[in-house]
Amino acid sequence: MSHPAVVVSARRILHVDMDAFFASVELLRHPELRDRPVVVGGGGDRGVVAAASYRARSYGVRSAMATARARRLCPDLVVVAPDHRHYVAVSSRIMDCCAEFTPLVEPLSLDEAFLDVTGSGGLFGSDEALAGELRRRLHEREGLWSSVGVASCKLVAKLASESAKPVPGPPGSAAPVDGSGGVRVVDPADELRFLQDRPVGDLWGVGPVTGARLRSLGVATVAELAGFPVEALVSHLGPSVGRQLHELANGRDERPVVVDVEARSISQEETFAHDRTDAADLRPDLLRMAEQVTRRARRRGVEGRTVHLKLRWSDLGTTTRSRTLGEPTADGLVVASVASELLAQLPVDRGVRLLGVGLSGLGPPADATQLRLSLEGHELGTNVTSSNRAAALRAADEVRERFGETAIGPVVSRSREAGGDDATGDDSR
DNA sequence: TCTGGGGTCCTAGGACCC
DNA sequence: TCTGGGGTCCTAGGACCC
């Protein structure tokens, strides 16, 4: 008698990445710029490119490049100021479209997401078919092209979508983008080979510093990294980075697709056109930025306990200061006054190039009432209803009536002193 | 012609408590 | 009284990502 084979169902992870997102969105709004090289970004002396159209890329222009340098590479360049709100709106529709393929969608940024499509295969046929259909729908609805990678883990899926990206053509050429291509599916059996010959810098978590450290150890490729002793990596790079990189280099990446990632901090920073040397000059900006940060917190229904102040000096050095409060707050005046005290201890006459204000330790307000939405034991999310317990309880009743008794978990009053969830469990009905 | 504005996570030391 | 160990929180800085 034979036992059925143990089938370890491999995950199928999809990574979708919009092509030249901000720039493509602007080209849709400004068709008259179709034949011009376009970047979105800051235009001043200190501006940088946030996104470059493919026509701009054909001149060597890249994102994160100083706008001044981009202009030298491409004198004809059109620089469009970013319109963040609009990109957020487009992004939200893109994520909705992704959600038609699986509920497991994890946005990475406005123009990128991971989808766990392990369970979606049967609905769309092959991975290629699913990826192609996602790409087609995104173009049909938003007029935007994307690149899609599918593999058994996030690392390979992301590299796969990258490898499916269009390549800029010779100077002056338009976007080499169309309905063909744009999809790369990596078979599980091919994943190690797919990784092997790449430079270590392709791995998630290897930037300039770690890359240089690895090269000094004689490690340049993923294959070399995979064969390097873990202990040596740990002693040179620290336990966290060392182990993580060793796993990734060997094609092991179990990071799940996480649906509701709650923000841990909110911040706002600004580089001045001209450096400031007087604290009094900074106060109005500090107050305004504290107000912007706390308004965003209030809109999300959270308060923060730690106020952060950041300064970049004329010589590009950076100093940060932070203070944790006894009580969480989303009050702009409170944040501004704490930040102001921190600022008072710093030598502003050194020359301030950048000012930043932030709030971390975010959570629901101390007096919030939370609804936990769950279905058959699976947590779907937490709906915070600030300060209005009666409304929260009514909302809970509505959900129960529509979806049944198991649809909603206990109603909870948040108490931070108790370390988070102080489940009162008294969903009084 | 050294560079923006969001974020995340890690490390390391000190304070404090048990 | 002295010494040590473990855990957690706070702060500053740094690496990295898009």
Side-chain angles (χ1 to χ4, degrees), chain A residues 29-344:
Chain A
R29 292 208 289 184
H30 303 285
E32 71 277 11
L33 297 178
R34 267 284 151 214
D35 300 325
R36 307 283 306 280
V38 170
V39 298
V40 173
D45 287 349
R46 294 175 169 179
V48 299
V49 174
S53 71
Y54 276 88
R55 197 182 291 281
R57 290 184 200 194
S58 75
Y59 294 95
V61 172
R62 295 289 181 272
S63 57
M65 180 180 275
T67 309
R69 181 164 173 229
R71 281 210 167 95
R72 283 193 302 279
L73 288 169
C74 177
D76 204 24
L77 193 68
V78 178
V79 179
V80 179
D83 178 356
H84 197 73
R85 299 176 94 98
H86 183 60
Y87 309 146
V88 168
V90 177
S91 174
S92 154
R93 295 197 299 268
I94 287 169
M95 300 305 163
D96 287 348
C97 186
C98 289
E100 294 172 11
F101 294 81
T102 168
L104 302 176
V105 177
E106 176 183 343
L108 270 190
S109 64
L110 290 180
D111 76 321
E112 255 181 88
F114 282 115
L115 281 65
D116 187 326
V117 294
T118 307
S120 313
L123 298 172
F124 298 92
S126 65
D127 291 336
E128 283 85 356
L130 188 153
E133 177 62 14
L134 169 61
R135 207 168 161 267
R136 195 192 62 73
R137 282 190 201 174
L138 286 172
H139 182 257
E140 180 183 286
R141 298 194 197 155
E142 301 299 333
L144 299 168
W145 287 113
S146 56
S147 302
V148 179
V150 188
S152 74
C153 63
K154 286 181 167 181
L155 171 70
V156 180
K158 187 158 163 56
L159 290 172
S161 74
E162 186 63 40
S163 77
K165 284 274 173 208
V167 179
S173 57
V177 194
D178 58 27
S180 67
V183 172
R184 176 75 187 267
V185 176
V186 183
D187 195 79
D190 297 331
E191 289 193 352
L192 275 181
R193 208 173 332 143
F194 181 80
L195 287 174
Q196 238 172 19
D197 295 330
R198 296 174 176 275
V200 285
D202 280 10
L203 292 182
W204 192 90
V206 180
V209 175
T210 307
R213 277 182 201 156
L214 286 172
R215 278 190 296 281
S216 78
L217 295 173
V219 174
T221 67
V222 172
E224 287 162 356
L225 182 58
F228 209 76
V230 203
E231 316 83 62
L233 290 176
V234 166
S235 77
H236 283 98
L237 306 173
S240 178
V241 173
R243 268 188 269 275
Q244 158 99 336
L245 287 186
H246 191 259
E247 289 294 292
L248 291 182
N250 283 283
R252 291 189 293 266
D253 175 14
E254 300 293 322
R255 290 174 297 167
V257 171
V258 181
V259 176
D260 265 324
V261 184
E262 303 253 340
R264 297 183 179 275
S265 66
I266 298 174
S267 66
Q268 190 97 29
E269 53 187 61
E270 236 172 84
T271 297
F272 302 123
H274 303 286
D275 296 354
R276 311 274 179 89
T277 52
D278 188 346
D281 280 349
L282 293 169
R283 291 265 147 64
D285 295 286
L286 199 64
L287 180 56
R288 175 175 48 80
M289 292 164 75
E291 216 25 90
Q292 289 167 340
V293 164
T294 51
R295 184 172 26 196
R296 284 162 60 194
R298 292 191 296 271
R299 212 177 287 148
R300 294 182 204 183
V302 296
E303 296 181 342
R305 274 190 68 212
T306 305
V307 175
H308 298 261
L309 178 74
K310 173 176 169 180
L311 276 80
R312 177 160 297 142
W313 309 99
S314 300
D315 62 10
L316 297 183
T318 300
T319 299
T320 62
R321 288 291 180 271
S322 64
R323 183 177 299 167
T324 300
L325 313 173
E327 291 284 308
T329 187
D331 182 328
L333 287 177
V334 172
V335 170
S337 77
V338 173
S340 192
E341 282 173 36
L342 296 171
L343 177 65

Side-chain angles (χ1 to χ4, degrees), chain A residues 405-426:
Chain A
E405 291 298 318
T406 60
I408 193 158
V411 177
V412 169
S413 291
R414 175 86 174 193
S415 160
R416 290 180 186 247
E417 275 70 51
D421 310 322
D422 161 29
T424 58
D426 67 281

